[in-house]
Amino acid sequence: MTTLGAVLLPQLPPERFRDVARAADDAGLDELWLWEDCFKESGIASTAALLASTSRVRVGVGLLPVPLRNVALTAMEIATLDRLFPGRFRPALGHGVQSWMGQVGARVDSPLTLLREYADALRALLSGERVTARGRYVSLDDVALDWPPPSPPAIYAGGERPRTLRLCGEIADGTILTGGNSPDRVRELRGHIDEGRAAAGRTGEAHPVVVYVHAATGPDAAERLERERQTWKYPSMAGIGLTGPAEAMAEAIQGWADAGADTVVLQPTPDDPDPEGFIRFVAEKVRPLLP
């Protein structure tokens, strides 16, 4: 069954987040995803507020930029949220936007090496292990969590390029794909992920793929989606963006599902005038039409 979610964009002020999350919870949305974009809201602080304000919707952060965060601190935060809200948090790791990492003095020469070292250390810490690591970037000396999760949560990772996606297949429990990818492109990218899974001997394990998809609803949806195209410099929104009635959206979403997306997360435009209305439309009108 396809999981359906929506993005809570960081262009919204933090004080709006809880109202949107409650709308998602009340409407029956499967998942709500945040972005830890520089220099907007904290992904972890926002997640804690949303989980505390709701009772059932799952909340993901895709992605947490690992150059910005010490791995021990991230492990503490994930473990705390997982124990407070069992099974409702979806953490995901990524390189971070390199220009932003440069602005804060956190840019590294080998993002792939950092992501691998970070994921390995994080997984060990969340498993309750005592960790000593002497990597190129990750250094830990006899570190263990006092309050690890009862069972380690799934750790997602994400990226855009083939080498990163192969690494996601190796080290992560699921992969995040950014917006702007057609179903055919998702099928191609899923191939890179599967190459990494095969190299790590993980083909027998589940590995859900989460795909962001641009979407707009309302009377000016086409105009807002066109502005989004211009922002992201896409040649066209055909095959990568959704608008129109719920039936058309559900049919298009099935295309991404058929291409290998386990979760489709609809990404509204930053200028959407009614974020709560967007959430309700996705959950109440589109979700029931999916298989």
Side-chain angles (χ1 to χ4, degrees):
M1 184 177 75
T2 305
T3 298
L4 189 63
V7 179
L8 203 172
L9 290 172
Q11 284 82 358
L12 280 177
E15 56 269 25
R16 293 287 308 278
F17 275 21
R18 285 177 296 177
D19 287 341
V20 178
R22 289 174 183 137
D25 209 46
D26 293 343
L29 188 70
D30 297 330
E31 296 184 351
L32 193 62
W33 284 82
L34 307 170
W35 299 348
E36 189 166 72
D37 277 5
C38 297
F39 298 95
K40 299 178 174 66
E41 294 93 354
S42 156
I44 294 296
S46 299
T47 297
L50 300 192
L51 289 170
S53 301
T54 57
S55 61
R56 49 155 303 279
V57 67
R58 297 184 295 272
V59 179
V61 180
L63 305 159
L64 295 168
V66 300
L68 196 62
R69 315 177 122 269
N70 184 280
V71 67
L73 176 62
T74 300
M76 292 160 59
E77 292 172 328
I78 292 174
T80 300
L81 288 174
D82 187 75
R83 292 181 70 107
L84 284 169
F85 308 100
R88 292 181 57 208
F89 181 34
R90 299 284 184 270
L93 311 176
H95 298 314
V97 175
Q98 295 305 292
S99 60
W100 292 339
M101 299 303 101
Q103 281 182 268
V104 297
R107 188 166 183 166
V108 299
D109 291 332
S110 178
L112 286 168
T113 300
L114 170 57
L115 187 58
R116 182 185 294 278
E117 292 180 359
Y118 198 102
D120 288 346
L122 181 63
R123 189 181 300 280
L125 289 169
L126 292 174
S127 297
E129 299 177 24
R130 185 167 296 276
V131 182
T132 294
R134 295 286 183 269
R136 181 175 175 181
Y137 299 110
V138 174
S139 179
L140 297 172
D141 185 8
D142 196 34
V143 176
L145 298 179
D146 282 6
W147 297 101
S151 59
I155 301 297
Y156 291 67
E160 299 177 317
R161 298 181 179 179
R163 290 177 65 195
T164 298
L165 293 174
R166 283 193 287 270
L167 181 61
C168 291
E170 290 185 48
I171 65 172
D173 302 308
T175 297
I176 312 291
L177 298 178
T178 60
N181 290 305
S182 68
D184 285 343
R185 179 65 172 160
V186 166
R187 190 174 286 107
E188 177 185 343
L189 297 179
R190 176 113 204 186
H192 298 309
I193 298 166
D194 289 342
E195 288 174 11
R197 295 173 64 209
R202 303 186 67 181
T203 54
E205 304 174 16
H207 189 101
V209 171
V210 179
V211 179
Y212 295 141
V213 176
H214 295 285
T217 62
D220 62 344
E223 291 82 359
R224 286 188 286 109
L225 210 56
E226 170 58 19
R227 288 195 291 271
E228 194 78 333
R229 182 197 69 77
Q230 295 174 13
T231 297
W232 293 92
K233 297 180 172 59
Y234 300 135
S236 168
M237 284 303 246
I240 63 171
L242 296 179
T243 188
E247 292 79 7
M249 284 196 174
E251 182 177 357
I253 288 168
Q254 190 58 45
W256 277 279
D258 293 342
D262 301 279
T263 298
V264 176
V265 182
L266 300 189
Q267 176 181 323
T269 61
D271 55 353
D272 191 307
D274 184 10
E276 291 91 343
F278 178 85
I279 292 290
R280 286 191 288 268
F281 177 83
V282 172
E284 297 174 355
K285 302 299 184 183
V286 179
R287 183 69 190 88
L289 301 176
L290 296 176

